[in-house]
Amino acid sequence: MAKQDLKRHIFDYVLTQYGSEAEYLWKSYPDFAVFSHQDNRKWYAIVMNVEKEKLGLAGSGKINVMNVKCSPEMLSLFLAQEGFLPAYHMNKSHWLTIRLDGSVDKETVCFLLNGSFDLTATKQVKKKLGIMRYSEWIVPANPKYYDVENELHEGKEIFWKQSNNVDVDDIVYIYVTEPTAAIRYKCLVLEVNIPYKYRHEELQIKRVMKIRCLKEYDRKLFTRDKMAQFGVSAVRGPRHMPYSLKREIDNLTNDEVSV
C-alpha cells in the first residue's frame, strides 16, 4: 500500500471504528494530526510528517510516521524489526513510532492502533463502542531465540512470551519464521501474565503465558505463500487470525480438537 494510501486508510479507519476525527493542535506543525478520546482526552495516535534526519534515518526529506502507545513487552518485540523506531518526542518506554512508508503492512499498523486505543480508553468507552475482543491469534517464533520446533509437540505445555490482549482460553497459532516460514502449531492459552525475567540482545521478556500445544502442522502445509492468499503477508508481531485462514486450516486438517 502506498504511503499516502496508508495514511488515508488510518484516517478512515479511526473514523469508522472509533468515531475519531483528526485534531490539528500546533500552528507550527499544521500537518501533525492527533487522535484522542472524547471523554478523557487521552491521545492514542499522532500522525506526523517528520524530517528523516530527526528520526535517525538516512537520506533527506520528510517521512510519514505514527506514534502509538504500546506495552513495554510489545516495544521490545517491534523495535527489533524494520519499520519501527523509538517514539519521536514521546515517552520511549510506553510509545512506539511506526513508519508509514510501506515498510509495515496495514494489518500490523491497525493492530497496534487498536492496542493503543485499548490502552488509553476507559471501560465505559469500550463498552459503549462494543469493541470485540479477539480470541484467536497468530504469533511469530524466531528460531534465533528459541528452537520451538525441537521443543514443542502435541500435548506439551510450555511458557511463551506474553502477547498483549491475549487471555486465558484464547487460541494461539505459532508461525515459525525463516527458514521454516510456516504456521506450525495451534495452542491453547492456559495462564497469562506470569512474571518472568529474560534479556537477550534486543529481546526483553517481563511476562509470559502458559500454553498447551493442541495440534502440530506439517511445515509444508501453511507456508508464508499459502497465508498470503488469505491476506497475511507478514507476521512481525501478534496479529488476529483471519476467519478465512482459520477455516482453511480447519478444512485441511479436520481440526476438531477438544479443549
Side-chain angles (χ1 to χ4, degrees), residues 70 92 138 173 258:
C70 191
K92 291 177 172 52
I138 307 174
Y173 293 84
S258 173

Side-chain angles (χ1 to χ4, degrees), residues 87-105:
Y88 175 70
H89 273 288
M90 300 287 284
N91 186 317
K92 291 177 172 52
S93 297
H94 298 281
W95 287 79
L96 175 70
T97 291
I98 309 170
R99 290 168 54 178
L100 303 180
D101 59 355
S103 57
V104 181
D105 61 273

Side-chain angles (χ1 to χ4, degrees), residues 41 60 100 166 184 195:
R41 302 308 301 164
S60 59
L100 303 180
V166 176
R184 293 283 282 117

Side-chain angles (χ1 to χ4, degrees), residues 31 42 75 82 101 113 124 130 134 151 190 203 215 219:
D31 295 329
K42 287 185 177 180
L75 279 173
E82 182 184 358
D101 59 355
L113 186 57
Q124 291 81 359
Y134 289 86
E151 294 293 331
L190 303 175
L203 180 64
K215 197 84 169 182
R219 62 173 58 194

